[in-house]
Amino acid sequence: MRYTQEFGKILNKTEIAKGTFDVILHSPEIAKIAAVGQFVNILCDGFTLRRPISLCGFNSEKGILRIVFEVRGKGTEWMSRLQVGDDMDIIGPLGHGFGLLDSSKKAVIVGGGVGTPPLLPVAQFYRENATVITGFRNASASILQDDFAQAGTNYILCTDDGSAGIHGLTTQALEQYLNKNTCDIIYTCGPKVMMHGVARLAEEHKINCQVSMEERMGCGVGACLCCVCPTKDDNGNHLTRVCLNGPVFMSTEVDWDA
Amino acid sequence: MRYTQEFGKILNKTEIAKGTFDVILHSPEIAKIAAVGQFVNILCDGFTLRRPISLCGFNSEKGILRIVFEVRGKGTEWMSRLQVGDDMDIIGPLGHGFGLLDSSKKAVIVGGGVGTPPLLPVAQFYRENATVITGFRNASASILQDDFAQAGTNYILCTDDGSAGIHGLTTQALEQYLNKNTCDIIYTCGPKVMMHGVARLAEEHKINCQVSMEERMGCGVGACLCCVCPTKDDNGNHLTRVCLNGPVFMSTEVDWDA
Amino acid sequence: MPDMSVKICGVSFKNPVIAASGTYGYGMDYNEFYPISRLGGISCKGTTLVERAGNPAPRIAETPCGILNSVGLQNPGVGRFLTSYLPRLKKQNIVVIANIAGNSVEDYCKMAERLKESQVDIIELNISCPNVKQGGVNFGILPGSVAEVTSQVKKHSDKPLMVKLTPNVTSIGDIAKAAEGAGADALSLINTLTGMRIDIKTRRPILRNNTGGLSGSAIFPVALRMVREVYKCVKIPVVGMGGISSWEDAAEMMIAGASAVQVGTANFRDPFACIKIIEGLESFADSLGLKSIAELTGTLNEW
Amino acid sequence: MPDMSVKICGVSFKNPVIAASGTYGYGMDYNEFYPISRLGGISCKGTTLVERAGNPAPRIAETPCGILNSVGLQNPGVGRFLTSYLPRLKKQNIVVIANIAGNSVEDYCKMAERLKESQVDIIELNISCPNVKQGGVNFGILPGSVAEVTSQVKKHSDKPLMVKLTPNVTSIGDIAKAAEGAGADALSLINTLTGMRIDIKTRRPILRNNTGGLSGSAIFPVALRMVREVYKCVKIPVVGMGGISSWEDAAEMMIAGASAVQVGTANFRDPFACIKIIEGLESFADSLGLKSIAELTGTLNEW
Ligand SMILES: Cc1cc2nc3c(=O)[nH]c(=O)nc-3n(C[C@H](O)[C@H](O)[C@H](O)COP(=O)(O)OP(=O)(O)OC[C@H]3O[C@@H](n4cnc5c(N)ncnc54)[C@H](O)[C@@H]3O)c2cc1C
Ligand SMILES: Cc1cc2nc3c(=O)[nH]c(=O)nc-3n(C[C@H](O)[C@H](O)[C@H](O)COP(=O)(O)OP(=O)(O)OC[C@H]3O[C@@H](n4cnc5c(N)ncnc54)[C@H](O)[C@@H]3O)c2cc1C
Ligand SMILES: Cc1cc2nc3c(=O)[nH]c(=O)nc-3n(C[C@H](O)[C@H](O)[C@H](O)COP(=O)(O)O)c2cc1C
Ligand SMILES: Cc1cc2nc3c(=O)[nH]c(=O)nc-3n(C[C@H](O)[C@H](O)[C@H](O)COP(=O)(O)O)c2cc1C
Ligand code: FES
Ligand code: FES
């Protein structure tokens, strides 16, 4: 049994930026077998579909999961109203997460907005060998910078309006970085245009790149074929399930132009 | 504007019998114009239709309403989970309530189960001139007896299993009462078979009788014609709206055999 | 602020929100919540030549995100409609749509005659009521009979004619084209989808009529698709309804092709639903910088 | 405890709860939650002669109490179904229904030929998929074409044939009778109702395919009514589906006339939905003192 349905009790909840919540759940069964880059599917009262949210952290010994989500619509709004002590009905761990090299390798991690949370465990794995480039609308929307610092990473903050860190896009920062440095692998999660830009740069510099894709989901476990993403390989083009075969893909697998 | 929509804050909530709740709401606009025998229509989260619940009491000066309801299905179950401090979205006051004579007249009041609450204000009006006969499944299901006592009424409790008061039906108690006493008016609310029985006895004894009918409702204000009850008058048979023309009808108006 | 008025077959509505037939009576009940003159219009309870008692209760059952009703056209008949209800309603300064039903083409024509020179602004031909045995929905399911009743009523009427379509058909587009071809001035849709609920304790249908019409947000996606389909195959204006309960729903409906919307079941949950929808549409149009709400109609950009 | 098994066109099911086609893949995904051998059966994802890519994403949108999907029959083709998926599934000791779709009568017949002598227990003829351009639902909307494809497939098949009906028709009874007359051994219904949702910010349909099929509890009352209607006009067994999400819904469906039920969308919300429905039905049958769950079928007492 690879999947578990569990009522995760909320142990802690913090609004880390306006409309963005950092939640710690007691969810021992899922935490036991979770892997970096996987996600859980959360039941919201009154809705037919669960909401997929990435794991921003997990501790199998303590039996806890950490998720960070932004209120985008009615489901996440409902989630944001839950309180410490309430249960979240979740299923997980879902999907195929990030592949990790040896932690002595150099990794560059590029996150955009609320795509950043699943990258934190990756950064925590590579620690001082990780360079983390994250981008947000503005200073007050930026999240997880303390976590990246604590993990000992080299981190670069970008904002669209220059209100904190570098005034500009993560892809620009990445380009500058790659012009002066090299690395063994790139990880990215965020808006599709950003990830596409990162993928292009990775390809130019011949660096392996893993991207975490988003798609609207039905079952979350591979059964309904609702969540496909266009991919390609030697056998041609495919529509591949994000929930089962992803969310993490090699950037070269994704058919960005489809 | 005869109707108001109001968020009534719950000031107090007591489980007065297993699954039966006594709730006090701060609802000044509705309380201001409420009349005995009227009801409110309560919004339950996640449901299309509001739930009609009778006023068990109101105080226009204090701006409060009292309702007593039993958990019957999913909507009342939801209502039962609300806590002191929560708001109830209610519309009211709805319907055409009980007609009251001079309070020096003799009234007999017959309530069955959770049909009893709307009769309390009637009893409080007639006080020592009221004889209240109420019936419940058993002792632990019986409600409002203290209120009837406090109102100074002569009250008779019946239970189906004899675990409190008289072992038997309210209609039997009423029959015995009417064989020895007389009264100016009878009021009744409860299961339809019981009300029909009361109506028959009233007719035999040539006493005016008011009955409070129940029917599944849509709008609650007379617009949709969903809540009809078969009635008759000199012009023939009709299907009459319970929400607007009722819930209180003269027992002789109701076409009991339809 | 944007111009909220819309014009449908020559009739001006203050705004595109109309109370749906059968859910709003003859208007005066909701006038006890707010002045109904704030609405774009009201479609009155389906009215027949002679008084009808309707079906026995229970007439309503709740379903997931919806309701079933089997009222079955209880109404006082066109005579009392004209003498008691219409004058009171017209005093409220509101566009009045008379929703008419019948058992035969002749009935419909006689109804139309009776409404001639009345204060009614538009006739809505209800050939789609699922809750009456004879006539009603039967006219609405075949293009031929839709055309027949539409063209006959047209001949006997001096009012703009809006034909109300049932969703219980294989091809709503064919029905719409038949009504348009026969002279309909506008179309309104959808009426209810036929459904059922059962009480598992008694093993009886909850509705005394066994089946009833499904309305409410559950049917919104079906209504939206049908409005779009009809909009694409006729030139006359389309009034969209079915499950609209928020201004966002109303906006979707207009973007799909509706010139105006009707709101029914949502009134039961929130008696102020129509008012909130009008206000929401107004700020939405404003935020888009539209001069007129009518600019929204049919602006869907299909993939 | 009551006997939970049911027999449909000669095939025995452990219990009357079947996972609905397209929502449960080829079974192995949910086998990661619980042993799928606990189910009565599984109807596999709609399968075609050759592999199909399906429609582009987004393929799913949420609606009030339901969802729209426009997957469009993505599947590996009957060849890989037979070599890789079916053997793995059959190892789970479960009744397997092959849901087949095609662009032409010939396609359907070839599919049936390919499934001959396979381990498939029943063929479910999907003539009701709304998400493919050619074929698919077109076969399902006219009694004539339903009869044609049914009788042809019957000739090319050695399996019991269950015909799956679309609800997007004027008279489901006529379609059901056509299928029965042409030799169908059982009927299953309903497939999805065609619907649409629009993103009002972009003014584009949410689904990349513009429209999709509505499923989930929103459609339950329509499904129940249609199952009842069909049950009353055919003699072959009816498998009911559409919005079943609790054992109470399943019980309503059986009381209305279904010999078994399929559960689709409910699995998304609660992966254990089927298991809970089986357990709920069992205690319900027990509380009624039934010897067999099959005694529930068709016991509705209409008014
Ligand atoms: C694998 C994966 C991991 C994710 N991880 C995170 C995370 O860690 N933090 C976070 O804030 N967000 C994350 N998201 C996005 C998150 O799932 C959506 O923001 C959320 O589903 C929106 O739901 P809603 O009810 O608030 O929005 P609504 O727009 O009301 O939702 C309507 C429907 O669309 C779906 N939907 C809407 N937006 C998205 C989207 N961007 N992706 C997928 N489905 C969507 C909803 O799930 C729902 O079914 C992730 C998405 C995926 C696919
Ligand atoms: C005028 C009036 C006054 C009432 N006063 C009281 C009261 O003071 N206290 C009290 O406990 N109950 C009262 N009732 C009954 C109460 O409305 C129902 O018990 C309640 O609606 C059940 O809702 P539910 O969601 O729990 O049940 P469900 O069975 O889940 O409800 C499904 C639908 O059926 C309707 N329904 C179910 N039972 C009834 C019923 N008996 N009458 C009307 N509609 C029903 C519900 O409103 C809902 O629309 C009154 C009913 C009416 C008509
Ligand atoms: C209780 C009720 C009564 C109705 N009566 C009529 C009617 O008399 N004539 C008519 O054309 N439609 C009638 N309808 C259908 C509505 O006008 C509308 O088409 C349908 O309910 C869908 O819209 P909604 O989901 O906004 O309610 C009735 C609907 C309800 C709920
Ligand atoms: C994502 C999805 C895919 C589906 N694919 C198929 C299919 O391939 N073949 C088919 O016959 N029905 C298909 N259906 C329809 C279901 O089998 C079922 O008829 C419908 O969803 C109603 O049941 P439900 O409300 O329980 O989901 C699909 C439904 C969904 C939601
Ligand atoms: S969401 Fe069902 S296959 Fe991915
Ligand atoms: S509930 Fe609408 S008329 Fe009574």
Side-chain angles (χ1 to χ4, degrees):
Chain A
M1 306 287 120
R2 181 170 152 197
Y3 305 131
T4 304
Q5 175 176 25
E6 198 162 34
F7 291 93
K9 192 175 289 302
I10 299 181
L11 302 178
N12 194 33
K13 179 190 164 197
T14 326
E15 188 164 0
I16 55 174
K18 196 166 169 350
T20 302
F21 296 84
D22 187 342
V23 170
I24 308 290
L25 297 171
H26 181 67
S27 180
E29 295 302 317
I30 295 176
K32 206 185 288 173
I33 49 168
V36 176
Q38 287 191 305
F39 67 97
V40 292
N41 226 349
I42 304 178
L43 188 68
C44 302
D45 221 36
F47 296 93
T48 307
L49 296 176
R50 289 171 178 261
R51 269 53 179 171
I53 301 290
S54 297
L55 295 177
C56 175
F58 50 89
N59 184 318
S60 56
E61 274 161 37
K62 294 191 189 151
I64 60 172
L65 300 177
R66 179 181 182 189
I67 57 174
V68 170
F69 65 88
E70 187 182 40
V71 172
R72 286 279 186 87
K74 292 186 188 162
T76 45
E77 210 272 312
W78 180 88
M79 279 160 54
S80 75
R81 274 184 277 123
L82 292 179
Q83 298 299 335
V84 170
D86 287 346
D87 284 338
M88 263 192 183
D89 178 341
I90 58 181
I91 60 183
L94 303 176
H96 179 271
F98 290 109
L100 301 173
L101 312 181
D102 188 283
S103 64
S104 63
K105 299 282 180 185
K106 295 252 169 274
V108 173
I109 293 166
V110 187
V114 83
T116 304
L119 296 168
L120 179 60
V122 181
Q124 286 165 336
F125 175 79
Y126 289 102
R127 306 187 63 85
E128 66 284 1
N129 294 316
T131 298
V132 179
I133 303 170
T134 54
F136 301 92
R137 282 189 305 280
N138 53 42
S140 63
S142 77
I143 52 169
L144 303 180
Q145 301 302 307
D146 291 350
D147 295 87
F148 288 117
Q150 234 175 354
T153 67
N154 163 29
Y155 64 103
I156 302 166
L157 171 64
C158 307
T159 54
D160 296 348
D161 66 354
S163 54
I166 296 173
H167 186 170
L169 301 176
T170 51
T171 41
Q172 295 166 332
L174 176 65
E175 190 163 12
Q176 281 169 17
Y177 180 87
L178 292 178
N179 286 341
K180 289 189 224 142
N181 311 273
T182 186
C183 68
D184 300 302
I185 188 158
I186 299 174
Y187 297 94
T188 183
C189 184
K192 199 173 171 191
V193 278
M194 183 200 87
M195 293 197 290
H196 189 180
V198 172
R200 257 197 237 101
L201 289 168
E203 207 161 336
E204 279 169 26
H205 290 81
K206 303 209 163 33
I207 304 166
N208 279 335
C209 174
Q210 296 184 18
V211 300
S212 181
M213 304 299 287
E214 253 185 30
E215 194 44 77
R216 287 180 186 246
M217 292 185 175
C219 66
V221 298
C224 74
L225 300 170
C226 284
C227 64
V228 294
C229 151
T231 60
K232 51 184 199 269
D233 62 19
D234 295 348
N235 298 318
N237 295 318
H238 312 279
L239 290 171
T240 305
R241 288 165 291 187
V242 169
C243 70
L244 185 72
N245 308 101
V248 178
F249 294 92
M250 297 305 296
S251 68
T252 48
E253 265 182 295
V254 175
D255 184 356
W256 296 101
D257 308 314
Chain B
M1 305 289 120
R2 180 169 152 198
Y3 304 131
T4 303
Q5 176 176 24
E6 197 161 35
F7 291 92
K9 192 176 288 302
I10 299 181
L11 302 178
N12 194 33
K13 178 190 162 195
T14 325
E15 188 164 359
I16 54 174
K18 197 166 168 351
T20 301
F21 295 85
D22 186 340
V23 171
I24 308 290
L25 297 171
H26 180 67
S27 179
E29 295 303 315
I30 295 175
K32 206 185 287 174
I33 49 171
V36 176
Q38 287 191 306
F39 66 98
V40 292
N41 225 348
I42 303 178
L43 188 68
C44 303
D45 222 35
F47 296 93
T48 306
L49 297 176
R50 289 170 178 263
R51 269 51 180 173
I53 300 291
S54 297
L55 295 177
C56 174
F58 50 88
N59 184 315
S60 56
E61 272 161 39
K62 294 192 188 150
I64 61 173
L65 300 178
R66 179 182 183 189
I67 57 175
V68 170
F69 64 89
E70 187 181 40
V71 172
R72 286 279 184 88
K74 291 185 187 165
T76 44
E77 210 271 313
W78 179 89
M79 278 161 52
S80 74
R81 276 183 276 123
L82 291 178
Q83 297 300 336
V84 169
D86 288 345
D87 284 338
M88 263 189 181
D89 178 343
I90 58 180
I91 61 183
L94 302 176
H96 179 270
F98 290 109
L100 302 174
L101 310 181
D102 189 285
S103 63
S104 63
K105 299 281 179 183
K106 295 249 170 275
V108 173
I109 294 166
V110 187
V114 81
T116 305
L119 296 168
L120 178 60
V122 181
Q124 286 164 335
F125 176 81
Y126 289 102
R127 305 187 64 85
E128 67 283 0
N129 294 317
T131 298
V132 179
I133 304 171
T134 55
F136 302 91
R137 282 187 305 281
N138 53 42
S140 62
S142 77
I143 53 169
L144 302 179
Q145 300 302 306
D146 291 351
D147 294 87
F148 288 117
Q150 234 175 355
T153 67
N154 163 30
Y155 63 104
I156 303 165
L157 171 63
C158 306
T159 55
D160 296 349
D161 66 355
S163 54
I166 296 174
H167 187 168
L169 300 176
T170 51
T171 41
Q172 294 167 332
L174 176 65
E175 190 164 11
Q176 282 171 14
Y177 181 89
L178 291 178
N179 286 341
K180 289 189 224 138
N181 310 275
T182 186
C183 66
D184 301 299
I185 187 158
I186 299 175
Y187 297 95
T188 183
C189 183
K192 198 171 169 192
V193 277
M194 181 199 90
M195 293 197 289
H196 190 180
V198 172
R200 256 196 238 102
L201 289 169
E203 207 161 337
E204 280 170 24
H205 290 82
K206 303 207 162 40
I207 303 168
N208 279 335
C209 174
Q210 297 182 17
V211 300
S212 183
M213 304 300 285
E214 254 186 30
E215 193 43 76
R216 288 179 185 247
M217 293 186 175
C219 66
V221 297
C224 74
L225 301 170
C226 285
C227 63
V228 294
C229 150
T231 60
K232 51 186 201 273
D233 61 19
D234 295 347
N235 297 317
N237 295 318
H238 312 277
L239 290 171
T240 304
R241 289 165 291 187
V242 170
C243 70
L244 185 73
N245 308 101
V248 177
F249 295 92
M250 295 306 295
S251 67
T252 48
E253 266 180 295
V254 175
D255 183 356
W256 297 100
D257 308 313
Chain C
M1 290 303 274
D3 177 4
M4 287 296 284
S5 73
V6 294
K7 203 163 196 166
I8 296 167
C9 39
V11 178
S12 279
F13 294 73
K14 278 185 204 91
N15 61 60
V17 178
I18 303 165
S21 178
T23 64
Y24 212 82
Y26 294 103
M28 300 314 288
D29 307 301
Y30 281 95
N31 207 32
E32 300 290 346
F33 282 109
Y34 53 82
I36 55 170
S37 58
R38 293 181 64 186
L39 301 188
I42 160 171
S43 173
C44 297
K45 174 66 194 168
T47 304
T48 50
L49 259 187
V50 289
E51 180 173 358
R52 284 179 64 113
N55 295 319
R59 288 178 170 182
I60 186 166
E62 204 172 43
T63 73
C65 294
I67 61 169
L68 291 170
N69 91 80
S70 58
V71 171
L73 287 179
Q74 172 167 0
N75 80 90
V78 66
R80 268 168 62 207
F81 168 68
L82 285 170
T83 54
S84 6
Y85 296 94
L86 184 60
R88 251 190 292 169
L89 188 47
K90 262 305 185 185
K91 275 207 200 96
Q92 308 304 317
N93 175 29
I94 185 171
V95 172
V96 174
I97 299 172
N99 181 282
I100 68 169
N103 293 331
S104 62
V105 174
E106 292 68 50
D107 279 3
Y108 280 103
C109 293
K110 281 190 204 154
M111 285 289 298
E113 291 282 356
R114 294 287 298 274
L115 297 176
K116 269 188 181 169
E117 285 157 40
S118 73
Q119 290 188 87
V120 160
D121 296 290
I122 296 182
I123 291 180
E124 184 172 48
L125 203 63
N126 178 3
I127 49 170
S128 51
C129 180
N131 294 321
V132 289
K133 292 262 144 52
Q134 258 190 314
V137 78
N138 299 326
F139 286 110
I141 57 175
L142 294 172
S145 57
V146 170
E148 167 71 8
V149 66
T150 304
S151 63
Q152 290 299 327
V153 169
K154 246 340 248 185
K155 282 187 206 150
H156 291 83
S157 175
D158 60 355
K159 306 284 181 198
L161 185 65
M162 180 152 89
V163 178
K164 182 162 177 181
L165 310 182
T166 170
N168 300 298
V169 295
T170 308
S171 170
I172 193 86
D174 290 346
I175 307 280
K177 279 184 278 188
E180 182 183 42
D185 300 297
L187 300 173
S188 60
L189 68 155
I190 60 175
N191 209 314
T192 53
L193 284 157
T194 310
M196 188 179 210
R197 275 321 282 273
I198 294 170
D199 181 335
I200 61 171
K201 287 194 211 91
T202 60
R203 298 203 215 165
R204 278 198 174 273
I206 291 180
L207 297 176
R208 188 66 175 68
N209 191 48
N210 296 317
T211 61
L214 181 65
S215 63
S217 20
I219 69 170
F220 180 68
V222 175
L224 191 69
R225 185 266 298 181
M226 289 192 164
V227 165
R228 180 67 187 166
E229 211 168 313
V230 167
Y231 175 76
K232 290 204 285 185
C233 67
V234 299
K235 294 204 170 54
I236 51 177
V238 177
V239 173
M241 81 190 92
I244 295 175
S245 71
S246 65
W247 69 262
E248 289 95 335
D249 295 342
E252 282 189 53
M253 202 52 112
M254 293 189 73
I255 290 168
S259 297
V261 298
Q262 290 189 22
V263 177
T265 305
N267 295 306
F268 300 171
R269 199 182 138 84
D270 180 0
F272 292 91
C274 289
I275 302 300
K276 289 179 191 162
I277 292 170
I278 294 166
E279 290 171 352
L281 280 179
E282 185 159 12
S283 9
F284 180 58
D286 197 36
S287 74
L288 295 177
L290 303 185
K291 284 216 190 72
S292 154
I293 189 77
E295 289 168 41
L296 213 53
T297 299
T299 53
L300 181 64
N301 187 2
E302 286 193 24
W303 294 101
Chain D
M1 291 302 274
D3 177 5
M4 287 296 283
S5 72
V6 295
K7 203 165 197 167
I8 297 166
C9 38
V11 178
S12 278
F13 294 73
K14 279 186 205 90
N15 61 61
V17 179
I18 303 165
S21 178
T23 64
Y24 211 81
Y26 294 102
M28 300 313 289
D29 307 301
Y30 282 95
N31 207 33
E32 299 290 347
F33 282 109
Y34 53 82
I36 54 171
S37 58
R38 294 181 65 185
L39 301 189
I42 160 172
S43 173
C44 297
K45 173 65 194 170
T47 304
T48 50
L49 259 188
V50 290
E51 180 174 358
R52 284 179 65 113
N55 295 319
R59 287 177 171 183
I60 187 166
E62 204 172 42
T63 72
C65 294
I67 61 169
L68 291 171
N69 91 81
S70 58
V71 171
L73 287 180
Q74 173 168 1
N75 80 91
V78 66
R80 271 168 61 207
F81 168 67
L82 287 170
T83 54
S84 354
Y85 295 93
L86 184 58
R88 251 190 292 170
L89 188 48
K90 262 304 184 185
K91 277 209 202 94
Q92 307 304 318
N93 175 28
I94 185 172
V95 172
V96 173
I97 300 172
N99 181 282
I100 67 169
N103 293 331
S104 62
V105 174
E106 292 69 47
D107 280 2
Y108 280 103
C109 293
K110 283 189 202 155
M111 287 286 301
E113 291 282 355
R114 294 287 298 273
L115 296 176
K116 268 189 182 168
E117 285 157 38
S118 73
Q119 291 188 86
V120 159
D121 296 291
I122 296 182
I123 290 181
E124 184 171 49
L125 203 64
N126 177 3
I127 48 169
S128 52
C129 179
N131 293 321
V132 289
K133 294 263 143 50
Q134 258 191 314
V137 78
N138 300 327
F139 287 110
I141 58 177
L142 294 172
S145 56
V146 170
E148 167 70 8
V149 66
T150 305
S151 63
Q152 290 298 328
V153 169
K154 239 349 239 184
K155 282 187 205 149
H156 291 83
S157 175
D158 61 354
K159 307 284 181 199
L161 186 64
M162 180 154 89
V163 178
K164 182 161 175 181
L165 310 183
T166 171
N168 300 296
V169 295
T170 308
S171 169
I172 193 84
D174 291 346
I175 307 280
K177 280 184 276 184
E180 181 183 43
D185 302 298
L187 299 173
S188 61
L189 68 157
I190 61 175
N191 208 315
T192 54
L193 284 158
T194 309
M196 188 179 210
R197 271 325 278 272
I198 294 171
D199 180 336
I200 60 171
K201 286 194 211 93
T202 60
R203 297 203 215 164
R204 278 197 174 274
I206 291 180
L207 298 177
R208 187 66 175 67
N209 191 50
N210 296 318
T211 60
L214 182 65
S215 63
S217 22
I219 68 171
F220 179 69
V222 175
L224 191 70
R225 185 266 300 180
M226 288 191 165
V227 164
R228 180 68 188 167
E229 210 168 313
V230 166
Y231 174 77
K232 289 202 285 185
C233 65
V234 298
K235 295 205 169 54
I236 50 178
V238 177
V239 173
M241 82 189 91
I244 295 175
S245 71
S246 65
W247 70 261
E248 289 94 337
D249 295 342
E252 282 189 53
M253 202 53 110
M254 293 188 73
I255 291 167
S259 298
V261 299
Q262 290 189 22
V263 177
T265 305
N267 296 305
F268 301 170
R269 199 182 138 84
D270 181 0
F272 292 90
C274 289
I275 302 299
K276 290 180 190 161
I277 292 170
I278 295 166
E279 289 171 354
L281 280 180
E282 186 160 12
S283 10
F284 180 58
D286 197 37
S287 75
L288 293 178
L290 303 186
K291 284 217 190 71
S292 154
I293 189 77
E295 288 169 42
L296 213 53
T297 299
T299 53
L300 182 65
N301 187 1
E302 287 193 25
W303 294 103

